[in-house]
Amino acid sequence: MLSVTFLGTSAARPTVERNVSAMALVREGETLLFECGEGTQRQMMRYGVSFALSEIFFTHFHADHFLGVIGLIRTLGLQTRAEPMRLYGPKGAKKLLNQALQLGVERVPFEVEVQEVKPGDVITGGNRAPRTAYDIHAFATDHGGGSVGYALREHERPGRFDPDKARAAGVPEGPLWGKLQRGEAVELPDGRNVVPEGIVSEKRRGRIVVFTGDTRPCAAVVDAAQGADLLIHEATFGEEEKERAKETGHSTAREAAQVALAAKARRLVLSHVSARYSISADELVKEAREVFKETVVAKDGMTIEVPFAD
Ligand SMILES: [Zn+2]
Ligand SMILES: [Zn+2]
């Protein structure tokens, strides 16, 4: 199971329909939070996202992306949380987040560790919560001053096991099948050796989910999103405001679609939309689909499942 739930999809400020940026990614029961705009904790309650999370990833420190962490950490403290929390963000994260965490509360009753990341970093989760089945990669974005995006990349999975071929090779059903499935050669009771090749297919790649945060369309995002199962790209503006997008370090829906196309992504979700598209973002979807058909626009509370490609 891998899914993302959009908690806030509005650029710069909340509207009646949309809150500011935050997205929960749930994988095999584990919840990761990307961005934490003001009011995120209430959106989590509203849309059933677990508070039992231990990592929050920030792309940059414009107010609409992080102010919610102050209230969220306070609420977690009131719930007598004991587990530590890790916050990740680009250069400046330590100073800024540590200041934010001291606002309005005497002491956070659990450990909060801030880790600064830079493009190219693979965020392992450290000793406490080592990741075994996937990694989070930080990549450069173009939003003026050290912003990053994040890509979740699952490790390769074993190839597909063909029971008929195993039987034909004389391998009895049982533990030996499991060994073959894991890519190991097995020795049969009659002494013959059987290798997995021909019985188990090539390893299959894991899923890739890419979250850009605020950015101009750029090559670094295209690289990070190569073959992504899901690309979540900001699309603050429509075509008629493409100059404004350029001036403010944002993307149009069409530009986001061009990135998805260049990256050969499977699906594109547009988010972080300007207040003028708060009620209807159909125009953004229409413009993007002219370039990249598999496009939808996020709205608050929307959950998208990410299935395996094979
Ligand atoms: Zn923003
Ligand atoms: Zn921004």
Side-chain angles (χ1 to χ4, degrees):
M1 266 288 289
L2 173 57
S3 69
V4 297
T5 296
F6 292 88
L7 299 169
T9 57
S10 181
R13 64 180 175 87
T15 64
V16 171
E17 299 80 22
R18 297 173 184 267
N19 202 41
V20 283
S21 289
M23 185 193 89
L25 185 152
V26 180
R27 186 188 173 281
E28 306 288 341
E30 181 189 20
T31 302
L32 306 175
L33 192 61
F34 292 84
E35 320 278 46
C36 190
E38 176 190 352
T40 293
Q41 56 171 323
R42 193 146 179 269
Q43 297 291 82
M44 293 170 75
M45 296 172 202
R46 178 176 288 162
Y47 300 122
V49 170
S50 171
F51 274 30
L53 56 94
S54 54
E55 294 177 302
I56 308 177
F57 300 83
F58 297 93
T59 63
H60 67 301
F61 294 104
H62 285 156
D64 57 319
H65 294 257
F66 83 97
L67 286 184
V69 75
I70 300 166
L72 175 62
I73 294 285
R74 169 144 174 86
T75 298
L76 294 175
L78 290 172
Q79 290 176 342
T80 64
R81 176 194 174 99
E83 299 76 32
M85 171 78 86
R86 257 166 204 260
L87 310 178
Y88 303 92
K91 195 167 185 296
K94 275 199 169 133
K95 186 170 175 226
L96 207 134
L97 287 171
N98 282 322
Q99 278 173 348
L101 294 177
Q102 283 165 20
L103 288 175
V105 58
E106 278 168 22
R107 196 179 69 84
V108 178
F110 56 92
E111 187 196 334
V112 182
E113 190 188 322
V114 182
Q115 189 178 321
E116 294 192 350
V117 299
K118 58 182 188 309
D121 282 359
V122 179
I123 305 161
T124 61
N127 297 331
R128 203 180 283 124
R131 285 182 239 285
T132 52
Y134 70 91
D135 293 304
I136 305 279
H137 297 247
F139 59 89
T141 56
D142 179 5
H143 189 53
S147 56
V148 296
Y150 296 99
L152 179 142
R153 309 176 77 91
E154 288 182 331
H155 298 169
E156 280 186 325
R157 293 175 295 146
R160 207 177 288 282
F161 180 78
D162 188 332
D164 291 338
K165 285 184 179 159
R167 280 191 205 98
V171 186
E173 195 170 340
L176 292 181
W177 281 26
K179 271 191 143 178
L180 281 172
Q181 229 156 353
R182 289 193 297 274
E184 298 166 33
V186 298
E187 195 186 317
L188 300 187
D190 64 13
R192 277 189 303 132
N193 258 312
V194 177
V195 293
E197 286 75 25
I199 296 173
V200 182
S201 73
E202 293 281 293
K203 280 189 175 171
R204 293 170 289 172
R205 74 167 184 81
R207 291 166 290 192
I208 303 171
V209 177
V210 175
F211 180 76
T212 67
D214 294 3
T215 188
R216 288 287 300 144
C218 67
V221 175
V222 173
D223 288 347
Q226 278 305 313
D229 295 273
L230 188 65
L231 169 61
I232 300 142
H233 199 295
E234 76 123 288
T236 311
F237 299 110
E239 269 309 282
E240 58 180 333
E241 286 186 286
K242 64 180 176 195
E243 284 310 313
R244 201 170 153 212
K246 206 179 280 180
E247 285 159 23
T248 56
H250 290 293
S251 301
T252 66
R254 190 183 170 83
E255 287 168 337
Q258 284 162 342
V259 170
L261 185 70
K264 298 188 173 70
R266 291 182 68 209
R267 280 193 294 168
L268 170 66
V269 181
L270 307 174
S271 190
H272 194 274
V273 303
S274 162
R276 65 182 293 180
Y277 304 106
S278 185
I279 293 173
S280 170
D282 291 350
E283 198 181 323
L284 297 181
V285 178
K286 187 169 161 283
E287 288 174 2
R289 280 190 185 158
E290 284 167 10
V291 176
F292 188 81
K293 204 166 163 296
E294 294 301 316
T295 305
V296 295
V297 65
K299 58 181 185 186
D300 291 17
M302 177 191 270
T303 293
I304 293 185
E305 306 277 346
V306 186
F308 285 111
D310 52 0

